[in-house]
Amino acid sequence: MIALAGTIGTGLFLGSGKAIARGGPLGAFMGYSFVGVLVVGVVLSIAELSALLPLSGAIIRHAEHFVDPALSFAQGWNSIYSSMVSLPAELVAAAVIVQFWSTINSAVWITVFGLLLVAANLLFIRVYGEMEFTFASLKIMLIVGLNLMALVIVCGGGPDGHTYGFQYWHKPGPFVEYLGYHGALGHFMGFWTTFSNAVYAYSGIENISMAAAETKAPRRNIPIAAKRIFFRVVIFYMLSIFMVGLLVPSDDENLLRSTGDAAQSPFVIAATRAGIKVVPSIINAVVLTSAWSAGNTGLLGGSRTLYGMAREGHAPKIFLKTNRMGIPYIAVGSISIFMCLGFMTLSEGASIAFGWLQDLVSVAALVGWMTICTVYLRFYYGCKRQGIPRESLPWKAPFQPYAAWFSLICFTVLLLTGGYVTFIHGHWDNETFVSSYINIPIFFILYFGYKFIKKTSIIPLSEIPIQHYIDIANANPEPPAKPKTGIHRFNILWG
């Protein structure tokens, strides 16, 4: 349940409003759908690697064994960096949501939610599973409820009795003429800007294998989770964007304004326009728990990654210090400091600050996904060089290596064009340029800096120890899955 709903958060509930405003209902649907197809390739790649070599840390450890320790070092710090910027992003999102009910300064709510996150990670870590299971259940119920509500309203079952159908796809239209550019060019530019929102919404979807070493029967269960990713993407992302695009016009004044008000959530706007009075508060309450849950997961994952990096000698040893409950409190405190980035809302407003942080998280996610595809392709061609048949692997992912190549090429294009607006005459913006591209030089400095200092080299394809790991898997067979009966045979979402 936690893995199923782990990535569903403010990127879908809140950030999708900007996608519809900039790209139109069809543009947003196409953007989220395209990125959804790409991340399926990423998940299939990391699942095949983890089925063979189930290690905690997933791609960080796989990069060391299959490519180069320097790549492991760079991706480890990229993961920590992603946690550092996603944490304030979720806190700012929480502050945006609370403004639906309160006019108190956002800084107050960022402080309150931040302190609760630190307390949860230092004092209540033993109930983490129970908390996240509860939040995940709420998110899934909300998604299902919203789509059912949208279907009823579209068909004329709302309080106003109006049948919406595809009227907003005709007027104001399926696309938006972005930045005043008319015709196909303006429509394409609007569509292209939705990718940043979509990437942010899907960020973290590859974490199904992050705790592979602690997963029960990982060589069986991780591939099962990976094969169900497609259905999760279709039902929870693509269907939600499609339905809300039928109910909210891209030129809605609440959708377009940048005040940081929670009314920017297209799901809230859809319920309000239909005359449903109670649902907006229910939506925002669940989305608020979603934002806090995502922040909690980010702080936990970032601090544990930092602890693991220190244990491998890739971070200062001070991060190895733990309290009597085994919690790496120095690592938790260090990641928590970056919550202060959320206070940018004091000068720029919650909505604008959320946009910057969203871009930073999106770029870090793209770099991480590209690393996964790169490591997988090295592994794939290592098998070919050594004459190892794919049938001998614990699990071979479908559509490979084409899925990995396609995702890698597309992610590279998205990374390089993420801040294209700043290169258009009259639209230069320092903050947008930095948030769109700062991660690229940081990653290369980490990679080549480690190579220079440690004198590492890329492992030749013929020397990657693939057969060794296959032998280990064969020597430790996992029990077969219990056959499903009754209604459980139709379960396509979780085990």
Side-chain angles (χ1 to χ4, degrees), residues 43-44 222-231 395 398 492:
V43 172
L44 292 176
I222 290 179
I224 290 175
K227 286 184 286 187
R228 289 170 176 166
I229 284 293
F230 173 77
F231 299 103
W395 181 67
I492 59 174

Side-chain angles (χ1 to χ4, degrees), residues 339-404:
M339 291 190 296
C340 296
L341 291 175
F343 291 113
M344 290 190 298
T345 58
L346 295 176
S347 59
E348 299 293 346
S351 178
I352 297 175
F354 178 67
W356 293 343
L357 294 168
Q358 177 180 284
D359 290 340
L360 291 171
V361 175
S362 297
V363 174
L366 284 173
V367 171
W369 293 342
M370 291 167 63
T371 301
I372 291 174
C373 293
T374 301
V375 173
Y376 176 80
L377 289 170
R378 288 284 301 175
F379 162 77
Y380 179 89
Y381 290 109
C383 288
K384 294 196 68 173
R385 175 67 62 86
Q386 298 175 33
I388 299 174
R390 288 180 56 75
E391 289 72 19
S392 64
L393 299 173
W395 181 67
K396 59 174 184 176
F399 314 118
Q400 297 290 18
Y402 311 106

Side-chain angles (χ1 to χ4, degrees), residues 397-442:
F399 314 118
Q400 297 290 18
Y402 311 106
W405 271 117
F406 182 66
S407 295
L408 177 60
I409 293 171
C410 291
F411 287 143
T412 302
V413 174
L414 294 183
L415 179 66
L416 297 178
T417 60
Y420 81 91
V421 173
T422 61
F423 299 104
I424 298 176
H425 181 70
H427 293 281
W428 175 263
D429 182 74
N430 294 331
E431 292 82 359
T432 301
F433 177 80
V434 171
S435 62
S436 298
Y437 296 109
I438 188 63
N439 191 268
I440 299 176
I442 289 176

Side-chain angles (χ1 to χ4, degrees), residues 68-81:
D68 186 353
L71 184 61
S72 173
F73 176 82
Q75 177 53 32
W77 280 103
N78 179 66
S79 178
I80 295 170
Y81 162 80

Side-chain angles (χ1 to χ4, degrees), residues 146-461:
L146 287 176
N147 284 318
L148 290 176
M149 178 194 74
L151 180 61
V152 171
I153 296 174
V154 167
C155 297
D160 57 3
H162 178 69
T163 302
Y164 288 84
F166 285 85
Q167 72 175 55
Y168 294 135
W169 288 45
H170 295 285
K171 184 179 181 180
F175 293 99
V176 171
E177 295 182 336
Y178 192 57
L179 297 180
Y181 285 83
H182 301 292
L185 177 60
H187 294 165
F188 179 78
M189 291 170 61
F191 157 69
W192 201 262
T193 59
T194 66
F195 288 135
S196 177
N197 302 89
V199 170
Y200 178 76
Y202 287 111
S203 61
I205 199 170
E206 73 282 0
N207 287 341
I208 60 168
S209 62
M210 183 59 73
E214 289 79 36
T215 301
K216 183 179 180 181
R219 294 187 175 92
R220 183 185 74 226
N221 289 326
I222 290 179
I224 290 175
K227 286 184 286 187
R228 289 170 176 166
I229 284 293
F230 173 77
F231 299 103
R232 299 174 187 179
V233 167
V234 170
I235 294 175
F236 293 110
Y237 288 92
M238 295 170 58
L239 180 61
S240 298
I241 291 295
F242 175 76
M243 294 304 296
V244 78
L246 297 177
L247 294 175
V248 181
S250 58
D251 60 355
D252 186 282
E253 59 179 9
N254 291 319
L255 199 63
L256 293 172
R257 64 187 183 185
S258 303
T259 60
D261 194 290
Q264 285 179 281
S265 171
F267 298 94
V268 173
I269 296 173
T272 303
R273 292 179 66 94
I276 304 175
K277 299 184 181 299
V278 180
V279 170
S281 291
I282 296 176
I283 295 174
N284 277 302
V286 178
V287 175
L288 181 60
T289 66
S290 172
W292 190 88
S293 169
N296 190 35
T297 301
L299 181 54
L300 179 74
S303 61
R304 296 324 185 262
T305 301
L306 185 55
Y307 175 82
M309 293 283 286
R311 190 175 55 190
E312 297 293 324
H314 293 166
K317 297 296 182 183
I318 191 174
F319 296 118
L320 291 174
K321 289 188 176 182
T322 59
N323 60 19
R324 58 186 177 83
M325 292 184 289
I327 298 172
Y329 63 94
I330 298 294
V332 171
S334 300
I335 300 292
S336 300
I337 292 174
F338 287 85
M339 291 190 296
C340 296
L341 291 175
F343 291 113
M344 290 190 298
T345 58
L346 295 176
S347 59
E348 299 293 346
S351 178
I352 297 175
F354 178 67
W356 293 343
L357 294 168
Q358 177 180 284
D359 290 340
L360 291 171
V361 175
S362 297
V363 174
L366 284 173
V367 171
W369 293 342
M370 291 167 63
T371 301
I372 291 174
C373 293
T374 301
V375 173
Y376 176 80
L377 289 170
R378 288 284 301 175
F379 162 77
Y380 179 89
Y381 290 109
C383 288
K384 294 196 68 173
R385 175 67 62 86
Q386 298 175 33
I388 299 174
R390 288 180 56 75
E391 289 72 19
S392 64
L393 299 173
W395 181 67
K396 59 174 184 176
F399 314 118
Q400 297 290 18
Y402 311 106
W405 271 117
F406 182 66
S407 295
L408 177 60
I409 293 171
C410 291
F411 287 143
T412 302
V413 174
L414 294 183
L415 179 66
L416 297 178
T417 60
Y420 81 91
V421 173
T422 61
F423 299 104
I424 298 176
H425 181 70
H427 293 281
W428 175 263
D429 182 74
N430 294 331
E431 292 82 359
T432 301
F433 177 80
V434 171
S435 62
S436 298
Y437 296 109
I438 188 63
N439 191 268
I440 299 176
I442 289 176
F443 190 86
F444 280 120
I445 290 172
L446 290 170
Y447 177 74
F448 288 107
Y450 189 89
K451 285 185 70 69
F452 177 77
I453 295 173
K454 298 292 185 178
K455 310 298 181 184
T456 66
S457 58
I458 297 177
I459 303 173
L461 293 175

